[in-house]
Amino acid sequence: MNASSDRQALPGIILVVIGFVLLAAQWFEITGAGVLAAIAAVFLATYAVSRTYGLLIPGMILVGLAAGVGLQEAGYDPRGELVVIGLAGGFFGIFIVSVLTGHPDRWWPLIPGSILSAVGSEQLVRGTVVADAIARYWPVVLVIAGVAILMTSMRTRSPGSHGGSGTTSLQRSGQT
């Protein structure tokens, strides 16, 4: 077999393995989290062999869901907040694996991961003292971000520049 025929066979192999997992789930005592984890393992093992980014995405999303559903099935998450946070973890996992494999430019998973984290966390702390504190003091985050931006802009200015002169420090010192 060559690389082209291997790629063509890959979807068939994935479907066969997922089919066996789902069939086994009907005959044996396998939880929803177990099924999700088994399907995730198929995608992640195939990603590990082929390095096809498109397989990492469903694999990590399913790992996150399996973790959240597992916590829910164990009784730790009666309202489903941890399922949402687990899903967020799957997206963060995509980014982490991308960075570790030399692709830090694949930052898009941080967007859905952050949104899902915020939603799940808000649901988790709703009605608690923590939620009340966040509701009252969230503008502090804006102040901190503003101060950080101001400090960065002050640090990047050269000490002798007055802005608008159009000359660089090398030109002023005669080293052009």
Side-chain angles (χ1 to χ4, degrees):
M1 288 183 100
N2 61 27
S4 176
S5 63
D6 288 349
R7 281 188 186 258
Q8 290 174 346
L10 195 57
I13 293 168
I14 291 170
L15 288 174
V16 167
V17 174
I18 290 172
F20 276 128
V21 167
L22 294 174
L23 186 62
Q26 292 184 27
W27 289 57
F28 302 103
E29 183 81 25
I30 301 176
T31 65
V35 170
L36 290 170
I39 296 171
V42 171
F43 279 106
L44 293 176
T46 310
Y47 166 76
V49 171
S50 70
R51 291 292 188 214
T52 302
Y53 185 64
L55 298 170
L56 173 67
I57 296 167
M60 291 306 293
I61 289 171
L62 288 169
V63 163
L65 278 175
V69 169
L71 290 170
Q72 188 175 41
E73 288 175 347
Y76 294 110
D77 185 26
R79 298 183 315 194
E81 302 94 352
L82 296 178
V83 173
V84 176
I85 292 172
L87 182 57
F91 280 100
F92 290 136
I94 295 168
F95 176 72
I96 291 167
V97 170
S98 295
V99 168
L100 293 175
T101 58
H103 298 284
D105 56 328
R106 294 178 179 166
W107 55 267
W108 69 266
L110 296 176
I111 296 169
S114 297
I115 293 168
L116 289 165
S117 285
V119 169
S121 298
E122 188 277 328
Q123 290 175 350
L124 192 63
V125 300
R126 183 178 291 162
T128 65
V129 173
V130 172
D132 293 339
I134 291 170
R136 179 174 298 250
Y137 296 109
W138 71 267
V140 171
V141 173
L142 299 176
V143 172
I144 292 170
V147 167
I149 291 169
L150 289 171
M151 290 176 62
T152 302
S153 72
M154 290 170 65
R155 229 181 281 144
T156 57
R157 290 185 190 173
S158 61
S161 78
H162 299 286
S165 70
T167 60
T168 65
S169 59
L170 287 176
Q171 290 170 330
R172 280 189 298 261
S173 67
Q175 298 176 356
T176 56

